[in-house]
Amino acid sequence: MQVWNGLGEVPGDLGRCVVTLGNFDGVHRGHRAVLGQLVAEATARGESSVAVTFDPHPVAVLFPDRAPLAITSLDQRLTLMASTGLDAVLVIEFTTQFAHLTPEEFVSQVFVDALHASTVIVGEDTRFGWRNSGNVDTLRELGVSDGFEVVTLADLGEGQRWSSTMARNQLTEGDVEAVAAVLGRPHQVCGIVVHGDHRGRALGFPTANLGEQIEGLVPADGVYAGWLTRSELPKDAGDRTLPAAVSIGTNPTFDGTQRRVEAYVLDRTDLDLYGERVCYELVRRLRPTLRYEGIEPLVRQMSQDVAQCREILRTVVAG
């Protein structure tokens, strides 16, 4: 999949395209349905499939105090979008200047002049242009004059509409099982392993701590069953994906104040992961983060956590 960072990177000789538009934060099942139809339509027409997205999120620019937490980083978003079979993604830097484009200017500059759209596929609630003044009816009117067809897709969901807001709320509550049903996969947080306080090794549970630059929305504090993936290793490497107990919180038993994301790889004390980029795939939340009165009750609880993680992950593999 090609990635064009701005209109200036779109090839001048690009042919006709089937295009869609959105933030695609989380690339949830609703997003994937739109992208899947986009790819199918483009393939049937013998044209390119292109998704237009923004970075940063428009709300973060226009109303910073109301900016939503990002479920995925831009890199994660692009990787997930690539998995749908898209030919290209156009990433537009969202600025206050760009926000002032009228719907007509946006369509002319992006869909017509740059991407030569033959078809634009969008959700029924799509808004665009200055103050979100453009909607699907606007798009259809412009399509008639500019020579492209507009296809709208109804909202999708099981019981309620799949949305980035739904997924975001579930993550802030720690409900990673529910969010997996919305995303169509377990949620991941990724980062570089750094040195921590080294307490885990002394307790018999050495952990891999993520540094401050974490990709993916960190869910509510607690202990989670999950998988640690060493993304720098080949996909067929034996130690690439390992069962883990993931802890998120401030280590209140030790009066910690800094929120940390760390993982203990089950039954492994031989791993040296410092400096590696790893991802934690969160399967189920076991419990909230608690304060224990001393080391012994903490270690007993950690042993129970590990046993529970082992059983949960064994069931996942068997299922």
Side-chain angles (χ1 to χ4, degrees):
M1 184 185 79
Q2 298 180 71
V3 177
W4 303 318
N5 292 295
L7 294 172
E9 292 191 6
V10 178
D13 59 353
L14 183 68
R16 299 303 295 272
C17 296
V18 181
V19 181
T20 192
L21 168 73
N23 291 306
F24 301 109
D25 187 22
V27 195
H28 57 64
R29 292 169 70 184
H31 293 147
R32 297 183 74 85
V34 172
L35 297 174
Q37 182 152 340
L38 176 77
V39 171
E41 183 71 18
T43 300
R45 289 173 171 266
E47 298 175 353
S48 298
S49 55
V50 181
V52 179
T53 192
F54 305 105
D55 186 61
H57 194 290
V59 178
V61 175
L62 301 175
F63 308 102
D65 57 326
R66 289 163 30 195
L69 297 171
I71 299 169
T72 47
S73 68
L74 177 60
D75 285 345
Q76 288 176 315
R77 199 187 336 164
L78 292 173
T79 297
L80 290 166
M81 293 174 78
S83 70
T84 67
L86 278 170
D87 290 313
V89 173
L90 169 59
V91 181
I92 295 177
E93 180 184 5
F94 196 90
T95 62
T96 53
Q97 180 180 358
F98 183 83
H100 280 79
L101 291 182
T102 66
E104 293 77 11
E105 289 170 334
F106 175 84
V107 167
S108 176
Q109 292 182 25
V110 179
F111 291 164
V112 179
D113 294 344
L115 299 177
H116 314 300
S118 67
T119 307
V120 177
I121 299 177
V122 292
E124 294 176 337
D125 61 348
T126 294
R127 307 295 296 236
F128 61 97
W130 172 237
R131 295 186 181 275
N132 276 338
S133 55
N135 57 22
V136 169
D137 290 335
T138 312
L139 199 56
R140 287 199 179 98
E141 292 172 5
L142 294 171
V144 171
S145 59
D146 290 325
F148 60 82
E149 179 185 356
V150 176
V151 176
T152 59
L153 300 181
D155 291 339
L156 298 174
E158 296 172 350
Q160 56 182 317
R161 173 178 176 266
W162 291 319
S163 70
S164 300
T165 299
M166 175 191 289
R168 197 174 291 115
N169 291 340
Q170 290 166 337
L171 285 170
T172 56
E173 294 170 0
D175 194 348
V176 294
E177 288 184 280
V179 83
V182 176
L183 299 180
R185 64 184 186 282
H187 179 62
Q188 283 191 347
V189 294
C190 304
I192 304 298
V193 178
V194 300
H195 288 275
D197 297 320
H198 300 282
R199 292 196 190 98
R201 184 168 295 280
L203 298 175
F205 301 95
T207 59
N209 294 260
L210 297 188
E212 293 183 4
Q213 301 300 316
I214 296 176
E215 296 183 73
L217 196 161
V218 178
D221 289 1
V223 176
Y224 297 80
W227 304 94
L228 181 152
T229 298
R230 304 173 69 180
S231 52
E232 297 174 0
L233 293 185
K235 291 187 176 181
D236 59 352
D239 274 356
R240 189 174 195 271
T241 300
L242 303 164
V246 182
S247 174
I248 299 172
T250 59
N251 293 323
T253 300
F254 299 100
D255 298 319
T257 58
Q258 182 181 1
R259 193 170 187 235
R260 295 182 176 177
V261 180
E262 54 189 312
Y264 164 65
V265 176
L266 305 191
D267 308 314
R268 296 290 296 270
T269 60
D270 59 323
L271 296 171
D272 182 359
L273 302 176
Y274 295 119
E276 278 194 42
R277 184 181 186 276
V278 300
C279 292
Y280 301 153
E281 186 176 278
L282 305 173
V283 175
R284 186 182 303 174
R285 188 175 188 236
L286 277 57
R287 60 175 178 86
T289 299
L290 302 172
R291 180 185 179 91
Y292 293 89
E293 299 302 322
I295 299 299
E296 290 186 8
L298 173 62
V299 171
R300 283 198 299 271
Q301 182 61 62
M302 292 170 72
S303 298
Q304 293 173 17
D305 293 339
V306 167
Q308 192 175 355
C309 285
R310 187 180 294 112
E311 185 59 32
I312 291 169
L313 298 174
R314 183 183 296 121
T315 302
V316 170
V317 172

